[in-house]
Amino acid sequence: MPIAVRLPDDSVRELPDGATGADLALAIGPRLLDASLAVRVDDHLLDLNSSLPNGARVALVTSKDPDSLEIIRHSAAHLLAQAVKRLFPNAKVGIGPVIEDGFYYDFQIEPFFTPEDLVSIEAEMRKVCEEAHSVSREVLGRDEALARFQAMGELLKVELISDIPADQQISGYRQGDFYDLCRGPHIPNTSKLKAFKLLHVAAAYWRGDEKNVQLCRVYGTAFHTQKELEEHLKRLEEAKARDHRKLGKELGLFSFHVEAPASPFFHPKGTVVYNQLVDFMREHYRREGYDEVITPQALDVSMWKTSGHYEKYQENMYFTEVEEREYALKPMNCPTHCLIYGAGKHSYRDLPIRYADFGRLHRYERSGVTQGLTRVRTFCQDDAHIYCAPEQMKAEMASFFGFIKAVYDTFGFEEMRVALATRPEKRLGSDEIWDLAENALAQGMRDAGIEFHVSPGDGAFYGPKIEFQVLDALRRPWQLGTLQVDYSMPERFGLRYTRADNTEGTPVMLHRAILGSLERFMGILIEHCAGAFPVWLAPVQLIVLPITDRVQDYAATIRDRAHALGLRVELDLRNEKVNAKIRDAQLQKIPYMLVVGDREAAEGTVSVRHRQKGDLGAQSLDAFLAQIQQEVQTRAR
RNA sequence: GCCGCCUUAGCUCAGUUGGUAGAGCACCGCACUUGUAAUGCGAAGGUCGUUGGUUCGAUUCCGACAGGCGGCUCCA
């Protein structure tokens, strides 16, 4: 009985019973067979050698298919494991999944692999490819699978098998001397892998639990062609060149010191950027109806007990004792805002009340987790708390969505990903309250037409969060903003407002930030723009480069006029050639260089050079100043 | 916190059978007066992260600690 399958172009093809994807490919043409990596049957990806069910919709998966990259990466992970087992027979295999941009495989081995080991493992991988092993799948019974991996001594795999749900099929893959537990699908032959590279080795806890043993994780990546692989490696280099820690040093923005680990010291230039960001947010706050407040740094632990931080957040807090009284440095501003709210009596007419705070926060982060500006122990959020009546929440959320979009647009973060982070294990408040809060956020997003995914268990201890993620210039995702609903803290602080009918109500509290932390945002922004800040943020916006001593006075006049307009301007009077001055200004990523010599001094002009556009020719000083001022005022990108 | 790696001049880095160190750039001085990404010459600059140990002798070998990097876990 022949079978019939439907191809993507809607044509129907008859094949003998039991025909596989490979048979189909061959029937269409030998070149297609050669190009095929797997087969898609009714939305499921299967091995090329799987037999096709009658009546199915079938598509051959070649390198053009977006899912094919995942298949070759997964197969590359198996290839890695095979090479490791050959060179290090004692190594036990863990898991080897595909991740963004590549794959990894975990091995239980002592000592861990060295970078030199990686070189020999990669060489062995190439050998396995050349040996052109066919890759075959077999379905295993549960007991059979357990016995087989037990016999192989692969106890981690045994543990995994035990946890596979009873209704799920268990399968194994063989390629030459290597056998692995795997769902698949895989490429049909190891010779199909052409472009891969092992990148680095690191430790990882077995099954992600820090109570478990640490395995040696080998990271690698694979592509269809060597060219794509090389492009990817180039992107990694590019990312390295943009590293904010490197640029921060080169551009004189900030430094770190052993005296205060994981705590940035902002130098004058970094402070300019930092303060510009604060000013920018303040400007928005005035328009959006926020009031700024200033609150203390060290507060009695009794307040942290009221807020719940003492109970749920203690391990991240700094404590100090003075006159037998215990204080904690604030890790968050919210409780202090509750004290301000509670200092007066509020009518429904006063709500919403929006308190913004650029207060310094301290959070004790475990020593291995800090990183540059993106994870520090002291930082400042563009933090605000909105106290409103329950019926005002929807409007507050809607206006916040508009606010956050406007801010991200300014920086060129045009793509936003949104997640709803739901109740964590460590939390305050009843399940009813959490239901209410989670539903409020979800509904608010639906009303605003915002698409989101759910991130279970990632909420704050006092309430669920909406997390706003942006993609930077290299399309790397970063979490920046957040919006959180909190029914607990107003209750714990006994906050009230008087309703129109003269009854007392408890306000809802919204915690929200847009940039996240200024430190972290600055790090991300540096990498986003590769250190070339937009003019409004640039620590030095223009530099005057006199060619000879004869025009020093003219150059100084230009500097003074720019200065009088509030521009951040420098004058390079060093005894250097103009080429050297330009080079240094370029390296400092100063947006505008004004080259002036005898000609410009005589005509009252400036020769403008832009850091990206190059030499723009001579123009009148007035025209140039008007243009740069315009750029600053509009916060042009 | 855990695993691995790293720490030499302001910066970027050299430095092997263990004998107290070198380059480029920057800084300082002198000359040059310069037209869109590095002018030349000279001088100066280091208890080799800290601290124990081994050794006649440690930047080098071993340990502890600190800081950093790559990850894991956690997270703004």
Side-chain angles (χ1 to χ4, degrees):
Chain A
M1 258 285 278
I3 59 162
V5 295
R6 187 174 293 277
L7 301 180
D9 64 358
D10 253 354
S11 67
V12 174
R13 188 172 279 260
E14 286 208 352
L15 294 163
D17 188 23
T20 64
D23 295 333
L24 169 64
L26 184 61
I28 297 172
R31 278 179 57 198
L32 180 60
L33 174 61
D34 190 48
S36 295
L37 298 167
V39 60
R40 180 181 285 107
V41 177
D42 295 336
D43 296 335
H44 294 289
L45 287 174
L46 297 175
D47 295 322
L48 200 58
N49 291 321
S50 317
S51 46
L52 305 173
N54 190 22
R57 279 186 301 112
V58 171
L60 290 158
V61 175
T62 67
S63 63
K64 291 193 187 72
D65 191 296
D67 290 327
S68 63
L69 205 51
E70 196 164 317
I71 295 169
I72 65 163
R73 284 174 179 169
H74 196 174
S75 294
H78 275 222
L79 183 64
L80 163 61
Q82 180 169 14
V84 165
K85 290 295 285 186
R86 279 186 180 186
L87 299 178
F88 303 87
N90 292 333
K92 300 296 171 206
V93 290
I95 57 167
V98 174
I99 52 173
E100 175 122 20
D101 288 338
F103 62 89
Y104 68 77
Y105 214 115
D106 286 344
F107 302 96
Q108 189 171 15
I109 186 164
E110 287 295 331
F112 277 19
F113 298 131
T114 63
E116 292 73 46
D117 291 335
L118 248 45
V119 173
S120 49
I121 293 169
E122 197 178 303
E124 189 65 31
M125 287 168 72
R126 295 198 193 285
K127 216 173 115 197
V128 178
C129 286
E130 281 165 23
E131 289 162 10
H133 297 288
S134 63
V135 180
S136 59
R137 170 193 173 97
E138 66 178 317
V139 175
L140 300 168
R142 177 167 300 260
D143 295 337
E144 191 186 357
L146 284 172
R148 170 124 26 148
F149 284 97
Q150 185 86 46
M152 287 164 68
E154 297 289 2
L155 302 182
L156 298 174
K157 291 291 186 190
V158 170
E159 197 182 323
L160 288 176
I161 294 166
S162 314
D163 285 352
I164 294 178
D167 58 342
Q168 202 176 309
Q169 200 177 62
I170 298 173
S171 55
Y173 278 79
R174 175 173 302 285
Q175 52 193 54
D177 52 352
F178 179 70
Y179 191 78
D180 198 0
L181 173 74
C182 189
R183 185 186 302 140
H186 280 284
I187 52 168
N189 193 290
T190 58
S191 63
K192 296 272 182 191
L193 290 171
K194 301 213 159 59
F196 53 84
K197 186 170 176 58
L198 299 184
L199 297 171
H200 57 268
V201 40
Y205 297 104
W206 169 236
R207 314 190 92 179
D209 188 332
E210 61 183 314
K211 290 191 228 19
N212 288 340
V213 290
Q214 285 198 325
L215 305 180
C216 179
R217 177 168 295 178
V218 178
Y219 286 89
T221 191
F223 287 87
H224 290 296
T225 64
Q226 194 64 26
K227 191 166 162 251
E228 287 167 326
L229 174 62
E230 274 158 24
E231 277 164 12
H232 175 72
L233 296 175
K234 227 173 99 189
R235 277 196 300 277
L236 292 181
E237 285 300 309
E238 166 71 356
K240 224 169 156 184
R242 285 168 178 252
D243 190 315
H244 73 275
R245 294 166 296 197
K246 180 173 176 279
L247 287 170
K249 200 184 276 187
E250 288 170 3
L251 303 179
L253 301 173
F254 55 84
S255 58
F256 286 91
H257 302 270
V258 291
E259 288 80 357
S263 306
F265 289 64
F266 285 100
H267 295 207
K269 284 179 178 165
T271 304
V272 167
V273 179
Y274 189 103
N275 283 335
Q276 284 300 319
L277 291 172
V278 173
D279 290 349
F280 170 62
M281 291 312 297
R282 281 199 173 113
E283 209 174 281
H284 274 281
Y285 283 161
R286 282 192 285 276
R287 287 202 291 267
E288 301 278 338
Y290 288 70
D291 297 307
E292 191 171 337
V293 297
I294 298 172
T295 55
Q297 212 58 61
L299 298 113
D300 193 285
V301 290
S302 63
M303 184 195 71
W304 301 113
K305 284 174 181 165
T306 302
S307 69
H309 285 82
Y310 194 83
E311 185 190 346
K312 306 285 186 194
Y313 206 72
Q314 200 180 138
E315 69 235 32
N316 285 298
M317 292 166 69
Y318 287 95
F319 291 91
T320 181
E321 200 192 284
V322 178
E323 288 185 347
E324 295 175 22
R325 206 169 153 182
E326 203 181 0
Y327 296 84
L329 295 183
K330 65 177 171 187
M332 300 182 195
N333 294 308
C334 25
T336 65
H337 295 177
C338 288
L339 294 182
I340 293 179
Y341 182 96
K345 196 152 166 58
H346 299 283
S347 148
Y348 72 97
R349 295 177 207 273
D350 303 331
L351 303 184
I353 287 173
R354 308 182 188 90
Y355 293 143
D357 196 332
F358 291 102
R360 181 134 300 274
L361 307 177
H362 289 81
R363 295 186 189 173
Y364 176 73
E365 300 290 354
R366 297 203 291 174
S367 56
V369 309
T370 61
Q371 200 210 35
L373 287 181
T374 57
R375 190 81 182 273
V376 292
R377 286 185 175 149
T378 175
F379 60 103
C380 160
Q381 293 179 316
D382 59 322
D383 197 15
H385 295 96
I386 301 170
Y387 299 88
C388 65
E391 64 273 17
Q392 292 173 318
M393 261 178 57
K394 186 178 166 182
E396 282 305 304
M397 287 178 67
S399 73
F400 180 71
F401 295 144
F403 186 179
I404 196 165
K405 178 134 191 7
V407 170
Y408 291 169
D409 277 353
T410 305
F411 298 99
F413 294 126
E414 275 153 356
E415 224 176 304
M416 189 161 84
R417 293 178 185 167
V418 185
L420 175 61
T422 57
R423 67 197 76 184
E425 279 186 24
K426 213 171 170 183
R427 62 176 184 263
L428 296 174
S430 65
D431 285 352
E432 290 71 42
I433 292 219
W434 278 89
D435 288 341
L436 193 65
E438 286 168 4
N439 289 334
L441 288 179
Q443 193 54 49
M445 284 191 282
R446 280 186 217 108
D447 290 345
I450 290 177
E451 279 183 40
F452 64 96
H453 68 272
V454 176
S455 184
D458 284 341
F461 71 82
Y462 47 77
K465 309 191 226 186
I466 298 175
E467 296 179 332
F468 298 89
Q469 226 181 42
V470 299
L471 296 181
D472 73 7
L474 298 183
R475 295 196 62 78
R476 295 171 300 181
W478 298 96
Q479 206 226 299
L480 298 179
T482 180
L483 173 63
Q484 307 164 12
V485 190
D486 184 355
Y487 290 94
S488 295
M489 219 175 287
E491 197 62 62
R492 293 169 76 100
F493 278 90
L495 306 184
R496 296 287 182 268
Y497 70 100
T498 308
R499 298 197 188 95
D501 63 3
N502 205 26
T503 58
E504 293 259 283
T506 299
V508 181
M509 183 175 179
L510 302 178
H511 305 241
R512 39 108 301 160
I514 292 177
L515 306 179
S517 97
L518 289 170
E519 282 75 3
R520 180 179 156 79
F521 187 80
M522 208 164 129
I524 292 162
L525 187 61
I526 290 167
E527 303 205 0
H528 178 57
C529 68
F533 293 107
V535 178
W536 68 276
L537 278 170
V540 180
Q541 296 167 316
L542 68 155
I543 184 163
V544 187
L545 309 178
I547 293 170
T548 84
D549 292 350
R550 292 189 298 278
V551 294
Q552 279 193 7
D553 288 348
Y554 179 61
T557 311
I558 295 169
R559 191 252 332 261
D560 295 343
R561 284 212 38 208
H563 199 84
L565 293 171
L567 293 166
R568 297 184 290 273
V569 55
E570 278 185 1
L571 173 56
D572 188 348
L573 288 178
R574 289 176 309 160
N575 193 0
E576 290 288 351
K577 284 189 156 185
V578 72
N579 283 330
K581 294 183 183 185
I582 286 171
R583 179 182 146 84
D584 290 341
Q586 285 282 159
L587 290 174
Q588 283 297 302
K589 316 217 182 213
I590 298 170
Y592 288 104
M593 290 151 264
L594 303 185
V595 178
V596 292
D598 293 325
R599 216 156 53 220
E600 286 78 7
E603 295 166 358
T605 58
V606 289
S607 283
V608 181
R609 182 189 166 97
H610 183 267
R611 66 184 167 198
Q612 271 118 23
K613 296 175 201 151
D615 190 354
L616 300 179
Q619 53 179 287
S620 81
L621 176 60
D622 291 332
F624 170 75
L625 289 174
Q627 180 243 311
I628 188 172
Q629 261 192 300
Q630 167 80 8
E631 233 183 296
V632 172
Q633 273 155 18
T634 59
R635 295 202 167 94
R637 299 211 299 254

